Amino acid sequence: MSTYELPKAYDFKETEKRVYEMWESGGYFQPHNDPNKPHFDPNVKPFVIAIPPPNVTGELHTGHAMFVSIEDLMIRYHRMKGYSALWVPGTDHAGIATQLMVERQLLKEGTSREEVGREEFLRRTWEWKHKYGGMITSQIRRLGASCDWTRERFTMDEGLSVAVREAFVRLYEAGKIYRGPRLINWSPGLKTAVSDLEVEYSEEPGTLYFFKYMLKPLNGGEPTEYIPVATTRPETILGDTAVAVHPEDERYQKYIGRSVVVPMLGREIPVIGDDYVAREFGTGALKITPGHDPNDYEIGQRHNLAVLSMLDKSAKVTEIGGKYAAMDRFDCRKALWADMKEAGLVIKEEPYTLNVPRSQRGGEIIEPMISTQWFVRIQEQAEKGLMAVRNGDIRIVPDHFEKVYFNWLDNITDWCISRQLWWGHRIPVWYCADCGKETCTRQDPTACAHCGSASIEQDPDVLDTWFSSGLWPFSTLGWPEQTPDLKYFYPTSYMETGYDILFFWVARMIMSGLEFTEQAPFHTVYLHGLIRDEHGQKMSKTKGNVIDPLTVMDELGTDALRFTMLVGSTPGKDSNLSIKKVEANRNFANKLWNAGRFVINAVTSVEPSNEKLEWTLADSWIWARLQTLTRDVERLFQTFQYGQAGQMIYDFLWGDLADWYLEIAKIQLAEGGARAYWTANTLLRVFDTALRLLHPFTPFVTEEMWQHLKKAAAGSALASQTAQWPNVLMTAQWPEANAPEGWEDAKIASFEQVQEIIRAIRNLRSEKNVKPSLKLAAVMVDTSGLVAAESKLIAQLAGLDAAKLRVENTLPKAPEGHVAIIAGQVEIHLPLADIVDPEEEKARLTKELAEVESHIRRLEGLLASDFGKKAPPAVVAKEHEKLANYKETAAKLKAQL
Ligand SMILES: [Zn+2]
């Protein structure tokens, strides 16, 4: 006998912080087999995940909570399986987002980026990063993330900057990078190129403008013929370099090869035939503006058309626009259209729904523009990226995303990597004022590499953020240096992220990994879905349905949030998050705590015993269930079905263990002696195993409970059981099923028959309102011997009088005054006629009947009213159905009375 004081209730607020600090300061987040430390064994298998680096400006949202929960589960599971598990954390410098943050700050101080200058601006941005950059990582810690923080990286730290420089110079030297004019997404407000990812399309009401493209007369004179054309952006007329029609379009094919006149400017441009033109759309003729539309750009390339930029970097009209030069793009639209109206060139205007490209940052309309930028030739890299998935070096889960991946890489265009920002990795190219040539080197040059001139100037642009994050899996491990970490931990194992980021990031990492390390950077890509609200709606600030994970963790605990997200997740599918479910899972943590209290009580109150005893059926059964659970969880983890695995562990702990085995253990413990000792033994081992299985889902409550269990057991008669336990649950060995498969089946079947009998009797008792204190007699018909063997257990759990429980092989005639029920193979007769007080029963039935009849009256009234005639038929039918059900119940009650 020993005593152990377990806190009455689980206090997640007090526990989470303390347990996390205990793990971190104990060094448990670091891989147990470390190539930089003594006793390193290269034969131990590593398991590595590089965290998707959140923006350094980020604030924790449900998307972060989801990926942290899943990755932490993956890492904890592999760590417990004995892998040298490493989860590399870090943040992304997030070019535009961070620059905007600091620009806003400057604006408040009444100055600007341009005014303070580049150097001061960068100093201010670093200052901002040092002050606030740790916010998102501290929020990730709150989720229980077991990252190795001693290996934390930042995309602009010294090492990663070296990696970016090396990657750029290698591509440059191999001729895989070039600079040239191309059509890109231009943000006039931010004055930078932006990636496709930073452009959001929104459906907005707009106008379709129809006008006349006048044909130049063949023999001089006034123009009379015209081709009708429609556009949503009339101002771009000023940059038109052709009108295209379908070559087989009978209306217009005769005009191919002739010229039309650009409205108000008088420029002559050709009519061309191209089967890209959709004859049935609009007027069937297209104006072609290669300088401001990606599709037009493609057509222009095919027909060698001139590319005119009619807008400048601030989206003001250039000198190309003649009298409209220097106007804002939207003012020009109005002025030009008014002039065209006056000139009789306008046909009509129609309302039209536009798909408007807007900047994810500033919200302004993105303008496709020709601009001189740096590009990576992507074709060769893309082909290697395709091969890596096709030949199985990389597996994408769920596999239907492979098609999406193939499709994207098949249609990929050269990657624009320059951004007109100050915050980021500056392009390592210097231009010579004397010879005009470029110098691109690993170290900053002081003179031109070609003529030796000292008047060189660095390219002002920085690299796209995705250029550095594409190197993430190996740059974080030390590349380009062949560090011990890189040699041992690379390639990494899983890349886990949201499916929406498959192309922008995952595909770039695969291409970069193959390019620079000649290896796939990971062997498995696991994609999770988006988190929606409880009704399946996308969360948005305007809808007001955003769930803040920090608030949820404050109110209901981290484990409850994690468990809800993990159990609701299916690979690649969106999932709904409901606070009600999180609340239910907070109760699960409490249930677990109470079960732990029971187990600790049992463990600390038994006396040692050397007597060997046979297991009871319940002992065998709970072990058998634990064996099948362990096997199922392993199978589900191997196939990434984490949600289902979590649900099974939940059902085992709540149902099998807490609702059944603990009840039975009470009875067995009461027997005292060896039976009590062995029951406590079973409780300890089963609970320990279950906590291990649950740990990757809910690390805090399981660790805290397990620590109590360990301490309590250490001072008990069962101390030897815990001799092999490590210091913390998070490094305890992952359970393995050790009984031969199939052993469990007979045990489980027998116990389930017992459960069925108990449930059937309990149901009948509650239906007949039998007082719980009343012990019933019973006659059961069973030829298997099971009821006779388990009669004591059945009697206790079903509220029967064990002395009056009779088991028969056959029963020729049902006993009088008894009610018969069937439970599986067993027939049960209960003498309910004797035990129910007829007066009480009559009163109960009368009261119930009165209630039902009042419902009937209400529904009859409702259906006779206007509602019955005017409400939708489906709604009325539903009320009729309710009424019929009440009438049926009333009839039954009357019959019983
Ligand atoms: Zn030079």
Side-chain angles (χ1 to χ4, degrees):
M1 286 276 274
S2 59
T3 52
Y4 188 84
E5 278 299 315
L6 182 72
K8 278 246 151 36
Y10 174 58
D11 179 355
F12 64 83
K13 277 191 185 139
E14 182 274 328
T15 305
E16 289 176 3
K17 199 166 178 286
R18 174 170 48 75
V19 166
Y20 196 85
E21 278 168 9
M22 183 267 290
W23 285 329
E24 192 176 3
S25 62
Y28 299 111
F29 294 160
Q30 291 166 45
H32 73 81
N33 187 47
D34 189 327
N36 307 292
K37 288 180 182 167
H39 314 299
F40 168 66
D41 177 358
N43 297 314
V44 174
K45 270 185 118 181
F47 177 83
V48 187
I49 295 178
I51 207 170
N55 284 351
V56 69
T57 51
E59 276 176 57
L60 198 75
H61 54 62
T62 48
H64 296 123
M66 187 73 192
F67 88 67
V68 170
S69 299
I70 295 185
E71 286 168 34
D72 192 50
L73 176 143
M74 290 168 164
I75 282 283
R76 284 179 189 269
Y77 163 67
H78 284 91
R79 187 185 287 124
M80 291 172 82
K81 284 198 76 131
Y83 288 84
S84 182
L86 170 62
W87 189 8
V88 185
T91 46
D92 191 288
H93 65 276
I96 294 186
T98 313
Q99 176 153 333
L100 279 180
M101 200 80 86
V102 178
E103 279 191 62
R104 243 174 258 147
Q105 211 177 47
L106 291 174
L107 195 69
K108 263 188 213 156
E109 294 168 20
T111 175
S112 72
R113 157 164 84 105
E114 290 78 6
E115 243 176 74
V116 300
R118 188 164 188 149
E119 205 174 311
E120 171 62 11
F121 180 78
L122 289 178
R123 196 193 62 76
R124 294 283 301 250
T125 313
W126 276 108
E127 196 179 87
W128 183 92
K129 194 264 166 188
H130 292 312
K131 202 162 168 196
Y132 301 107
M135 198 173 76
I136 184 71
T137 49
S138 71
Q139 290 170 337
I140 282 174
R141 281 163 195 260
R142 275 206 59 191
L143 284 159
S146 58
C147 303
D148 181 356
W149 296 105
T150 65
R151 285 176 163 89
E152 182 178 355
R153 303 307 297 262
F154 176 54
T155 47
M156 273 178 58
D157 70 23
E158 214 173 302
L160 265 59
S161 299
V162 169
V164 166
R165 183 78 170 255
E166 176 68 25
F168 187 95
V169 175
R170 274 198 205 180
L171 290 173
Y172 184 91
E173 288 175 347
K176 292 175 176 177
I177 250 175
Y178 65 92
R179 188 170 182 246
R182 273 300 184 86
L183 195 75
I184 45 97
N185 298 311
W186 183 262
S187 170
L190 303 173
K191 296 206 174 45
T192 175
V194 291
S195 82
D196 292 338
L197 184 67
E198 287 147 354
V199 180
E200 283 175 347
Y201 288 86
S202 73
E203 285 206 342
E204 294 172 21
T207 308
L208 192 57
Y209 300 86
F210 292 79
F211 67 99
K212 301 172 182 174
Y213 243 115
M214 301 306 294
L215 281 133
K216 190 190 170 208
L218 285 172
N219 306 312
E222 283 300 301
T224 50
E225 289 173 295
Y226 67 86
I227 300 175
V229 175
T231 178
T232 57
R233 295 188 296 160
E235 68 280 11
T236 62
I237 290 170
L238 302 175
D240 284 353
T241 51
V243 167
V245 298
H246 195 280
E248 281 150 34
D249 191 328
E250 286 168 4
R251 293 170 294 177
Y252 307 129
Q253 64 185 173
K254 57 185 177 226
Y255 299 133
I256 296 172
R258 286 182 60 182
S259 297
V260 286
V261 181
V262 176
M264 311 323 294
L265 294 184
R267 252 189 317 113
E268 288 174 22
I269 57 173
V271 179
I272 57 171
D274 195 297
D275 50 21
Y276 167 81
V277 180
R279 273 172 280 184
E280 57 290 345
F281 179 75
T283 65
L286 274 186
K287 61 189 271 316
I288 305 298
T289 326
H292 297 281
D293 181 278
N295 295 319
D296 292 5
Y297 183 77
E298 295 294 320
I299 295 176
Q301 295 292 94
R302 283 203 286 279
H303 295 269
N304 289 319
L305 297 178
V307 179
L308 300 180
S309 292
M310 49 76 52
L311 290 177
D312 68 10
K313 305 259 147 115
S314 327
K316 289 199 162 54
V317 179
T318 61
E319 70 281 6
I320 299 277
K323 68 183 248 206
Y324 305 99
M327 272 188 171
D328 168 79
R329 52 183 164 166
F330 300 116
D331 294 338
C332 168
R333 178 179 295 183
K334 278 185 213 136
L336 175 63
W337 192 247
D339 291 348
M340 283 170 64
K341 217 174 226 172
E342 199 146 297
L345 295 175
V346 165
I347 301 171
K348 62 175 175 177
E349 291 169 36
E350 266 180 14
Y352 188 76
T353 305
L354 300 174
N355 211 9
V356 182
R358 285 189 180 277
S359 157
Q360 198 189 41
R361 298 290 163 200
E364 58 169 348
I365 296 181
I366 292 294
E367 203 64 55
M369 272 198 206
I370 295 292
S371 165
T372 298
Q373 304 282 347
W374 285 94
F375 291 88
V376 174
R377 280 183 226 284
I378 211 74
Q379 205 54 46
E380 191 193 313
Q381 283 192 18
E383 273 158 30
K384 285 185 189 163
L386 281 169
M387 275 310 295
V389 174
R390 284 224 171 90
N391 67 19
D393 288 350
I394 296 173
R395 179 182 171 204
I396 298 179
V397 180
D399 56 12
H400 64 86
F401 278 104
E402 282 184 3
K403 250 189 247 158
V404 185
Y405 174 82
F406 293 146
N407 186 47
W408 190 71
L409 283 186
D410 277 334
N411 295 302
I412 197 167
T413 53
D414 284 356
W415 175 17
C416 172
I417 50 168
S418 43
R419 296 289 180 270
Q420 289 63 53
L421 301 173
W422 284 355
W423 178 240
H425 301 282
R426 194 159 171 187
I427 289 177
V429 173
W430 282 257
Y431 305 104
C432 177
D434 290 329
C435 74
K437 287 184 178 161
E438 295 166 359
T439 302
C440 173
T441 52
R442 285 171 179 83
Q443 302 296 326
D444 288 3
T446 49
C448 171
H450 307 279
C451 72
S453 160
S455 39
I456 52 171
E457 200 167 331
Q458 188 173 6
D459 192 298
D461 293 353
V462 299
L463 287 164
D464 180 8
T465 299
W466 300 99
F467 190 89
S468 50
S469 49
L471 313 176
W472 188 250
F474 44 98
S475 63
T476 50
L477 294 173
W479 186 91
E481 224 180 290
Q482 288 298 310
T483 58
D485 268 11
L486 188 70
K487 282 187 208 149
Y488 178 60
F489 291 117
Y490 188 79
T492 66
S493 312
Y494 290 180
M495 172 43 62
E496 195 285 335
T497 189
Y499 65 70
D500 51 332
I501 215 157
L502 176 62
F503 323 125
F504 297 107
W505 189 44
V506 178
R508 297 221 190 283
M509 278 189 290
I510 294 175
M511 290 191 285
S512 297
L514 294 167
E515 174 77 27
F516 299 113
T517 70
E518 287 169 7
Q519 292 183 83
F522 28 75
H523 59 70
T524 301
V525 175
Y526 175 94
L527 301 169
H528 66 252
L530 307 175
I531 309 293
R532 296 168 177 275
D533 76 0
E534 60 179 321
H535 307 294
Q537 300 286 314
K538 233 181 159 172
M539 289 188 199
S540 79
K541 275 182 190 155
T542 42
K543 277 188 212 144
N545 61 348
V546 176
I547 295 176
D548 175 7
L550 293 169
T551 315
V552 178
M553 285 191 277
D554 283 345
E555 288 169 5
L556 300 167
T558 300
D559 287 327
L561 175 66
R562 282 178 60 129
F563 194 74
T564 310
M565 296 194 120
L566 289 168
V567 166
S569 74
T570 315
K573 290 219 176 95
D574 292 357
S575 54
N576 302 347
L577 179 61
S578 117
I579 293 300
K580 282 196 199 83
K581 279 190 201 152
V582 184
E583 281 167 4
N585 288 325
R586 187 234 2 231
N587 298 342
F588 177 47
N590 294 337
K591 182 93 174 177
L592 191 75
W593 197 257
N594 291 333
R597 163 188 309 285
F598 180 88
V599 174
I600 285 176
N601 257 328
V603 166
T604 51
S605 57
V606 294
E607 302 288 349
S609 170
N610 291 320
E611 195 188 333
K612 290 271 179 284
L613 277 184
E614 287 270 316
W615 274 357
T616 65
L617 175 62
D619 295 339
S620 302
W621 165 76
I622 197 73
W623 264 113
R625 281 289 299 117
L626 191 59
Q627 293 280 322
T628 51
L629 176 70
T630 306
R631 219 172 263 137
D632 286 339
V633 168
E634 188 63 26
R635 178 178 51 80
L636 291 167
F637 271 29
Q638 293 299 329
T639 52
F640 305 95
Q641 308 292 317
Y642 304 114
Q644 213 184 324
Q647 188 60 51
M648 283 184 135
I649 300 167
Y650 177 99
D651 292 343
F652 174 83
L653 272 162
W654 192 297
D656 296 340
L657 186 68
D659 287 352
W660 285 93
Y661 189 71
L662 295 192
E663 290 304 308
I664 295 165
K666 260 181 218 165
I667 300 166
Q668 297 185 178
L669 288 163
E671 279 181 37
R675 177 61 68 208
Y677 174 78
W678 288 110
T679 300
N681 195 329
T682 302
L683 280 170
L684 176 62
R685 290 169 65 190
V686 169
F687 197 52
D688 164 48
T689 308
L691 288 175
R692 291 177 195 225
L693 291 173
L694 185 61
H695 180 71
F697 293 88
T698 60
F700 290 111
V701 66
T702 49
E703 180 73 73
E704 179 72 353
M705 188 70 242
W706 193 83
Q707 293 292 342
H708 284 297
L709 192 65
K710 187 171 138 89
K711 275 184 218 130
S716 77
L718 296 162
S720 65
Q721 286 295 329
T722 62
Q724 300 298 316
W725 290 10
N727 290 335
V728 289
L729 176 61
M730 73 168 280
T731 61
Q733 204 185 339
W734 186 251
E736 271 175 42
N738 45 25
E741 210 166 340
W743 167 85
E744 309 96 354
D745 299 351
K747 307 284 178 196
I748 291 177
S750 294
F751 190 79
E752 281 177 353
Q753 170 68 77
V754 171
Q755 283 179 304
E756 218 172 317
I757 294 168
I758 294 164
R759 272 197 209 105
I761 299 172
R762 284 179 177 172
N763 287 346
L764 190 69
R765 290 179 69 117
S766 91
E767 215 175 279
K768 297 284 174 197
N769 265 7
V770 179
K771 285 183 197 125
S773 58
L774 192 63
K775 302 289 175 217
L776 295 179
V779 182
M780 298 194 198
V781 184
D782 170 42
T783 52
S784 70
L786 181 69
V787 175
E790 300 300 325
S791 61
K792 198 178 141 203
L793 181 69
I794 293 170
Q796 295 233 29
L797 293 183
L800 303 180
D801 181 348
K804 291 182 189 165
L805 170 58
R806 211 172 87 219
V807 186
E808 302 284 352
N809 276 323
T810 55
L811 202 63
K813 191 172 152 281
E816 275 202 18
H818 280 54
V819 179
I821 41 173
I822 305 292
Q825 308 298 315
V826 179
E827 201 179 297
I828 308 162
H829 298 271
L830 297 173
L832 282 175
D834 297 343
I835 62 95
V836 175
D837 178 342
E839 284 310 310
E840 260 179 41
E841 180 68 358
K842 200 176 158 192
R844 185 180 69 83
L845 291 171
T846 311
K847 191 176 160 220
E848 218 172 295
L849 182 62
E851 253 172 56
V852 171
E853 281 177 335
S854 91
H855 283 301
I856 292 173
R857 278 194 301 278
R858 184 180 57 81
L859 279 177
E860 280 176 342
L862 181 71
L863 287 164
S865 72
D866 269 6
F867 170 87
K869 292 165 210 125
K870 287 182 185 158
V875 176
V876 176
K878 215 168 204 174
E879 297 303 321
H880 271 294
E881 198 183 306
K882 272 191 209 161
L883 180 63
N885 285 340
Y886 279 128
K887 283 185 170 167
E888 204 178 304
T889 310
K892 272 190 198 158
L893 289 169
K894 276 178 194 160
Q896 286 193 42
L897 276 166

